[in-house]
Each structure stands twice: as C-alpha cells, then as structure tokens.
Amino acid sequence: MDPHSRLSQFNQRAPKTGPFSPSVRFEPTQKVTLDKYTKAYSSSMPSDSPLFTSRPIATNSRVKQDEQFKKDMFLAYVNKAIREKLNGHSKDFDDLVDQFSPNKSTLAPTVPSLQLRIWLSALSHVLSRLERRHAPLVEAIVRLPWSTMDAVFVKSYIVFIGMLISARPEYLSLVLNRIAMGFTYQSGLLAVASNLEGSTPLTRRVIYDRQHTLLEHLLNLVPTLPSSLAPLLVRNFPHKRQPQAAHVAYIRNLLRITEYCGELSERVLGLIVDRALMVDVEIQVELEELEDAEPTDGELFEFDPFDTIIGQEGDSSDDEDVDDSLSDLSSDASSDSDAEDTPMDTRHVHDMVSKLDAILKLVFDHFNKLHSSILTVVPSSPSIHPTTTHDRDPQSHEPHTLLAIQFHTLLAIFDRSILRTFKSRYTQFLLFWYASLHPEFSDLFLGLLVDKALFGSASASSVERAAASSYIGSFVSRAQFIDREGARRAVKVLCAFLGAHLDAVEAGNAASNNHSVFYAIVQSVFLVFCFRWRDLQEEPDEQEVGRKIWISELGVVQRVITSDLNPLKVCSQNVVHQFARIAQATDFTYCFSILEANKRAPYPVFAGVAPGSTRPEDLHTFFPFDPFKLPRSGEYIQGVYREWAAVAIDDEEEEEDEDDLIEEDPTFDEWERQGGSCIPITASKRGESDDDGLGASFGGMSISPARTRTVAMAISVS
C-alpha cells in the first residue's frame, strides 16, 4: 500500500502516551451535536472564570430564521386545516380548535400564551377565507380568557379581533356579547380559575380596563357599533336580586362606556334609571323603622370592587338565587304585585336600601364628574353641592351646552319612566340635583311639569297629570335653588288654573268626573304655601307697615276652599291641617270652621265617590321629594334641599285648639286606618308632647306608607 495514500493508517499521528492501539482504528466515530458540545463546554469551564466570557451560540439572524420557520409551519397547518374542513375532513381543524379551548375544570388555556400568539398570527392571514363552517374556531377564540393573560398576548389579541371584525363583520355580535359579559361581576369570578399559576395577581380594574380597550378599538373600526351593543348591555344587566357588588361593577363600566361613546349615553342612563326604579319601588318602609328593627351590619360598600385582587374578595354570590333569565323584565312586573302580600323581610329591605344607595351614588358621582370637568373655573377642592354654579360665566357657552345635553337626556328619561312610577322614593332626586346646576335647568323642569299637569298633552292621562301636579308642589317647596321669583311664578300659574277651572264648573262646562287634576293642584298650592308663604308676600308700603299683603293671584284660594268642590274634604288631611294652621298664623285665611263642618258632611259628588261608599276611591298621597334618607348619596342632596325645620313657624301657642280638633276627628282616624299617608299628624295625637310643632308633620312626610300599607294619594283617578 502506498504510504502516501489518504486511506493509509500512517497518515494518523500516533499518540504520545504510547503505541497506537489497533482496536481504535476500527471504532466508529461518534457524532457530536451542538447541544452536546455546548453542554460539555459549559460544564468544563467555570462560570466565574475571568478568562472566559459566555456568548450566544445562535446569532439574531438565526433566531429570526427559526421564528419565521415556526410561523411558516403554523401557517401551513392552518391552511391545511381550513382547506380540509371544507372538504369534509375535520381532524386537523378540531385539533386547531382545541388549541384555543380552555381547560374544562380550571378554565385556563391549555397551551402557553406564546404559542397562542403564533396561532393568532397564522390565523390573521386566512381571516378572509373563514366561512360559516369555521365558526367553532372563531367561537373558541372569542371565549378565550384573554383578559387574564400576559400584557403582550392581550395586545396581540386586541389587534387580531380588530382584524377579524374588519374581515368578517358577521362575528361582531358574538364579540360584543362577550365584551358585555366581561363587564359583569361574574366575569371576574370566572377569571379566578383561568388565571395561570405563578402569574402576577390581577385586579378587576385591570381586567375591565382591557375590556374597555378592546371596545374602544372596535368603535374606531365600526362606527355603527353602538346600535348592536345597546341591547347586549341591557341583556347582561344584573338582576335586582343580585348582590350590590354586581350592580356597582356593571354600572361603573356602563358609565365609563358613555365617556368614549356618546351615542350610548341616553340608552345607558335610561337603563340605569329604570333598574334603579325597580329597586326603589321595593323600599316601601321608613328607614327609621329599619334601624329600630335590625341594625345594619357594617358600612355600606366600604371596599372598591375594582381594586380587589381576583379571588380574594370572597364569594358574595353564593347566597343569591340567580339564573340565566334574571334579566327578563317580565318577571319583575309580576313579582311586585305579590310583594305587598308577604311579610316584610327586614334583611331583604336592608339589602335593597344599600343597593339603591350605591347605584344613586354612582350616578351622582358621574354627573358631578362631568360638571366639575367642564367648569370654566375649577375650584381647589370640588364640592358636591353646586350651590354657586348660578354665578358661572355666561360666555362659557360650550361647557353649558354639554351640561344641557346631559340634562335634556335626563329630562326625557324622567318623562318616560320616573313620572309614571308612583312608588319611587329616591330615584327622582337625580333630576332634583341636576336641576340645581343652573337656573335654566330648574325652569325647564318646571316647564315640563306645568305642561303635563295644566295643559295635559294628548298622551298624558289624568293620573300622569295629577302626578306632575304633585311634583310641582314638592319641587317648589323643597328646592333651595328655586328663588323667590320662581316660587311666585309657579304659584301664579297654579292659581290661574284653579280660577279657570272654577269658572268652568260654575258655568257648567266642566265634566263632573274630571276634577282629579284640580284636587292635586289645590294640594300642591297648599303645600307650597306651607313652605314658601314668606316669598308669597308683597313688600308693604310705608303706610301699610305691619300688615301682610299677599300676591293677588292667591285670592283665588279663598274661593277654592269655599267652593262646592270642597278640596279641604278631599285633599290629604295632613296637608290640609298644616295649611289651615299656617294660614291662620299668618292671617291669610281661616279654615277650621270648614274643617269642623266637613267632619259631618259627606264627600262632594265631584270627588269620585262610588255609590254606597263613605270616602273617595283610589285616593293617593304623593310627595315625590320627601326627605332623602339614604346615607351615601344623600351627601349630594343636603346642600340643595330645604328642610321643614328651616321654614317652620316659631310661635305656635295659639294652635292648641286646632290640635284638639284633630284629636277628636274620627273621620280622619278612619281615613288613616284605611290606607292614608303615614305622615305623622301631631305629637299630641300620639299622646306625646308637641315640641316640634309643624316640623313633626312636614319633617316626617313620606310618599310611602309605614310597613306594607297601600300608598294613598289625594286625587281621583277615575
């Protein structure tokens, strides 16, 4: 053999340690991989050696090539799965769907978020090829608990959903429904199990913020989105039996939507007011009775559900009986009629009071935030009592326009919902407070009420007109921001109607069964007189100092109380007696002779008394703006509300005879037992000292009866 041949064993250098071993010549050479080499190299060199520095084995270009190769593989698989699904072979497609399907027991994703991002990147190239048969894949992606995953995946997911809706708009309803469900309190409870082990704990605020980010992104892509989102927000609204935290979380999210989607402001605010009314009508007891019966356990919603870590707030929904059909409004209407026949559940009423207080506080905060953000001069510490807003710069037209738009929205909701709900106690105070922000708002509110009550549009029934009349009297009496001129204008308009109605009755042009609005307006005039009699006086001349001179329009009141309609017999006896006492104390008129005669006189035929009945049927007493007793939201009302103690007459010694008249009045006792107003008559009637005088009556006025008695309203609805 040629010694210079390449195949000769002589070309191999012999080891220095000894002779060459023949057995090594025939031993196969082992292949050393990159991983083995790296491992051996790293294990042989000390990590802390200053002579050696570690450096990456693969370059950036190699890493990018590997990532691109992986993406190409995923894209090829997605293309194959999509194509095979259309050909009737669904194995690869089902495997692709399983990649996005969460674990059935923990609701957590079954694959890492990095791999899910690659899948979404591959799917973004075939969105236009997705058809109806590929809907299970889209549904799995939409159901993915993406809001609980890492921030990088959340960003990729939002971008993908935007591309999906742009390419396939038919999936918009599916995505929006999932977003609406994400705003509920229960969505956070589901996220407890889907939160991966070892990940950073999330608060509900983070989860809700991500849902809003996705919704805002879709709003920029689909201008017509609000029309599709509105019914879904209604469907996912918590039922009134759900816990307070569920209502607070969902309503806060709804109000935040209105900040970046103005088209939904009216619908969202109307939805919140309607649901608040449903809770409000169940509170048909005095809060003082609840405090005596059972003390509240803890403060009203001290913690913020948005800042609680998922899974650490406790399960507040275990004791609530809630099902999928709770948002059905038809079930609420039927349940209200049975509530009066069941004994009062004190614990339930406590929950309802706390829930309504939290709801109204959220809406008040939302209004106050809007009001504070558009003021031309922002005070150093914003006050929740906007008593100085009447002095705002009249040149600031744009901020006032924003406030006016919100007010007209609230006014439309009042006309549609609140005015027609006669058992509500607190929800109407939303409009009461908003009207205090500007004199124009209170004028518009009174204008709507006057138009409803006195002129009666074709769609307004007699019950609505009577309710509007009650609102006029209660609003003018209780609103501190209604000045002297505003109170006088309101009384003049009401008195003009009373005079015209009496003229029609005397001329025989008034229907005999059409006096319910008349009695309601008379009662409103009596009520306003009790609270604002000082504002109804004229300034005396020098020669008339010491005499009380009333506005000329009040002259019709004497004609009213002596007419055949006899309103002193029909109207609320508590309002009548208070009016009689104040009218006598102020030298306006004397009514006690008529009251004494009414004790033996039958009800007038105009009052809607059925044959054989001793009293008018379907009479109700309605004082919409009685004292506001909710502790949290009441902070907004205190600065703009007139209490009876501030206007009560100090000298009442001459009224002892009238108190005796009330004590001996068996007709009034019978009327009260048959379901009259729960307004306390006087302390002396209950055998107590009359220390508070008139304040004991008007200070405790309520539109709702004690316990579960039927509400009474001093108008005829026939």
Side-chain angles (χ1 to χ4, degrees), residues 699-713:
M701 268 195 176
S702 173
I703 64 174
S704 303
R707 306 187 189 282
T708 57
R709 291 185 299 175
T710 306
V711 179
M713 184 165 136

Side-chain angles (χ1 to χ4, degrees), residues 407-423:
F407 176 76
H408 283 285
T409 298
L410 190 60
L411 198 64
I413 297 172
F414 171 83
D415 187 16
R416 182 178 66 249
S417 300
I418 301 179
L419 181 60
R420 305 180 184 185
T421 306
F422 304 113
K423 290 184 179 181

Side-chain angles (χ1 to χ4, degrees), residues 146-285:
W146 62 276
S147 60
T148 62
M149 304 176 72
D150 59 89
V152 179
F153 177 81
V154 169
K155 183 177 180 180
S156 301
Y157 185 87
I158 293 176
V159 173
F160 174 81
I161 293 297
M163 298 172 62
L164 172 66
I165 298 304
S166 299
R168 312 298 298 184
E170 60 268 23
Y171 292 111
L172 178 62
S173 179
L174 176 65
V175 174
L176 292 181
N177 184 58
R178 195 66 183 179
I179 293 176
M181 293 177 61
F183 291 141
T184 62
Y185 191 73
Q186 286 73 17
S187 66
L189 299 178
L190 295 177
V192 175
S194 63
N195 203 11
L196 298 177
E197 295 183 1
S199 59
T200 304
L202 297 176
T203 61
R204 294 182 184 274
R205 186 182 302 277
V206 175
I207 294 178
Y208 293 145
D209 287 345
R210 292 174 174 179
Q211 297 284 352
H212 285 288
T213 302
L214 175 58
L215 183 57
E216 287 187 71
H217 180 60
L218 295 180
L219 278 171
N220 295 330
L221 298 176
V222 185
T224 59
L225 183 145
S227 59
S228 301
L229 180 61
L232 299 176
L233 296 178
V234 176
R235 182 187 306 171
N236 288 277
F237 200 99
H239 189 266
K240 62 182 179 180
R241 304 296 183 188
Q242 287 191 359
Q244 176 180 330
H247 286 78
V248 170
Y250 195 76
I251 291 175
R252 285 181 63 175
N253 284 314
L254 291 185
L255 294 176
R256 180 175 174 181
I257 292 175
T258 62
E259 296 177 1
Y260 56 83
C261 183
E263 296 87 345
L264 289 175
S265 296
E266 182 174 359
R267 298 182 185 179
V268 167
L269 189 57
L271 173 62
I272 296 174
V273 171
D274 289 341
R275 297 308 176 92
L277 285 172
M278 295 169 61
V279 178
D280 196 351
V281 295
E282 292 201 10
I283 307 175
Q284 297 302 312
V285 294

Side-chain angles (χ1 to χ4, degrees), residues 45-213:
M45 295 299 177
S47 60
D48 56 350
S49 175
L51 300 178
F52 300 94
T53 57
S54 60
R55 62 179 181 179
I57 301 302
T59 61
N60 291 336
S61 60
R62 180 62 179 272
V63 173
K64 292 181 180 179
Q65 291 177 2
D66 292 343
E67 291 180 354
Q68 186 62 40
F69 178 73
K70 184 182 296 185
K71 292 180 180 180
D72 293 341
M73 291 182 58
F74 278 63
L75 179 58
Y77 184 88
V78 168
N79 283 322
K80 179 184 177 183
I82 296 297
R83 182 175 60 255
E84 292 295 330
K85 178 65 175 178
L86 296 178
N87 295 331
H89 305 287
S90 60
K91 182 180 183 304
D92 293 338
F93 181 81
D94 293 340
D95 293 340
L96 181 59
V97 173
D98 292 339
Q99 297 292 311
F100 297 95
S101 300
N103 188 289
K104 295 183 179 180
S105 59
T106 63
L107 299 180
T110 56
V111 296
S113 60
L114 177 60
Q115 185 173 340
L116 289 177
R117 286 171 50 200
I118 300 177
W119 282 120
L120 291 180
S121 177
L123 286 169
S124 63
H125 292 80
V126 298
L127 291 177
S128 59
R129 295 167 51 193
L130 296 179
E131 298 183 4
R132 182 174 299 180
R133 282 179 285 183
H134 301 130
L137 176 61
V138 178
E139 294 174 357
I141 296 175
V142 173
R143 289 196 303 265
L144 191 70
W146 62 276
S147 60
T148 62
M149 304 176 72
D150 59 89
V152 179
F153 177 81
V154 169
K155 183 177 180 180
S156 301
Y157 185 87
I158 293 176
V159 173
F160 174 81
I161 293 297
M163 298 172 62
L164 172 66
I165 298 304
S166 299
R168 312 298 298 184
E170 60 268 23
Y171 292 111
L172 178 62
S173 179
L174 176 65
V175 174
L176 292 181
N177 184 58
R178 195 66 183 179
I179 293 176
M181 293 177 61
F183 291 141
T184 62
Y185 191 73
Q186 286 73 17
S187 66
L189 299 178
L190 295 177
V192 175
S194 63
N195 203 11
L196 298 177
E197 295 183 1
S199 59
T200 304
L202 297 176
T203 61
R204 294 182 184 274
R205 186 182 302 277
V206 175
I207 294 178
Y208 293 145
D209 287 345
R210 292 174 174 179
Q211 297 284 352
H212 285 288
T213 302

